[in-house]
Amino acid sequence: MSVKIKMTLLSDTIFGNGVSIPGGEDISVLTDENGFPYYKGSSLKGVFREEAENLCCWMGKGETAEEFLDEILGKSDHNYLTNQEKKKIRFSNFTLSNAVQQRVKQQVGQDKDRILRSFSYLRTFTAIEENGMTKDGSLRECRCLRKGLIFYGTIECEQELEQFVEQVLSCIKWIGTMRTRGFGGIKLERI
């Protein structure tokens, strides 16, 4: 069964791509080949697994949680080929709607940097010493996606897991890089 999901950014969010630009962005945003931001399904799977473990513990099923989650999500190791067929829940990437992408291309053309800047901005951070002064060498720049953006994706699951998937999705409130600092507040809805 395919569950279509709408993900709305409730706060500025960073979908980190793991790359820093020397002399520029310390944390950049994950984009597709055209410059549009997206969120990896595998990243959502990791957050899903974390919240599923919490939910199992809250339901008093903590001892059996790992085995159950390995069965429905695959083992959390890197043995991709042997675990691929065991997964009962699969996540697509979350992307902007085709209509939004086409409209932006009409407005700014094919320039990847302009496309990304249509959805994001640079934010500067620094660490503060106990004396209130900035800490030397602590200046950082991050590319942040703007609050209010909407991404769409799907989750494939077996019928008997649908209710569990919805319960776990209702627990997910934060995603992305720096989510412990107020970035990445989201709302997930079934559509």
Side-chain angles (χ1 to χ4, degrees):
M1 131 165 287
S2 181
V3 180
K4 293 185 180 186
I5 304 294
K6 173 182 172 182
M7 178 173 61
T8 305
L9 304 186
L10 301 179
S11 67
D12 294 345
T13 304
I14 304 169
F15 296 162
N17 66 358
V19 176
S20 64
I21 301 169
E25 300 167 20
D26 293 293
I27 301 174
S28 196
V29 169
L30 185 62
T31 59
D32 66 14
E33 64 277 357
N34 297 309
F36 290 101
Y38 73 97
Y39 189 63
K40 279 183 159 182
S42 60
S43 295
L44 183 60
K45 176 185 169 186
V47 174
F48 183 94
R49 185 181 198 99
E50 182 181 313
E51 292 300 333
E53 287 172 357
N54 292 337
L55 182 62
C56 287
C57 287
W58 296 329
M59 294 169 49
K61 300 176 182 175
E63 294 95 31
T64 60
E66 186 174 348
E67 185 178 316
F68 170 67
L69 294 176
D70 284 350
E71 180 185 327
I72 64 172
L73 295 170
K75 290 192 180 202
S76 57
D77 63 14
H78 298 290
N79 194 352
Y80 179 77
L81 294 177
T82 59
N83 288 322
Q84 183 66 16
E85 60 195 357
K86 296 179 184 177
K87 296 176 187 175
K88 294 182 180 179
I89 302 175
R90 291 171 304 284
F91 301 82
S92 75
N93 292 336
F94 279 70
T95 60
L96 298 163
S97 72
N98 288 333
V100 167
Q101 291 184 35
Q102 293 306 315
R103 183 72 175 159
V104 169
K105 283 182 181 179
Q106 289 171 354
Q107 297 290 317
V108 303
Q110 302 291 325
D111 185 318
K112 293 178 185 180
D113 290 332
R114 287 186 69 196
I115 289 172
L116 179 57
R117 286 193 313 267
S118 298
F119 301 103
S120 65
Y121 67 96
L122 285 176
R123 185 156 177 183
T124 306
F125 300 89
T126 191
I128 304 294
E129 299 275 7
E130 288 183 25
N131 64 6
M133 302 298 288
T134 59
K135 184 176 179 180
D136 287 341
S138 68
L139 184 64
R140 300 287 181 263
E141 246 184 12
C142 298
R143 180 150 302 273
C144 302
L145 295 173
R146 298 179 194 282
K147 166 179 149 177
L149 291 175
I150 299 173
F151 294 81
Y152 298 91
T154 58
I155 298 174
E156 301 284 334
C157 69
E158 296 179 4
Q159 183 78 34
E160 69 268 9
L161 293 171
E162 185 179 359
Q163 183 179 4
F164 179 74
V165 167
E166 288 187 14
Q167 288 175 327
V168 175
L169 290 176
S170 71
C171 296
I172 298 173
K173 304 296 181 199
W174 302 93
I175 61 168
T177 303
M178 297 178 66
R179 59 185 173 168
T180 60
R181 294 187 179 186
F183 288 88
I186 61 163
K187 178 178 181 183
L188 294 171
E189 301 172 84
R190 183 176 181 169
I191 53 172

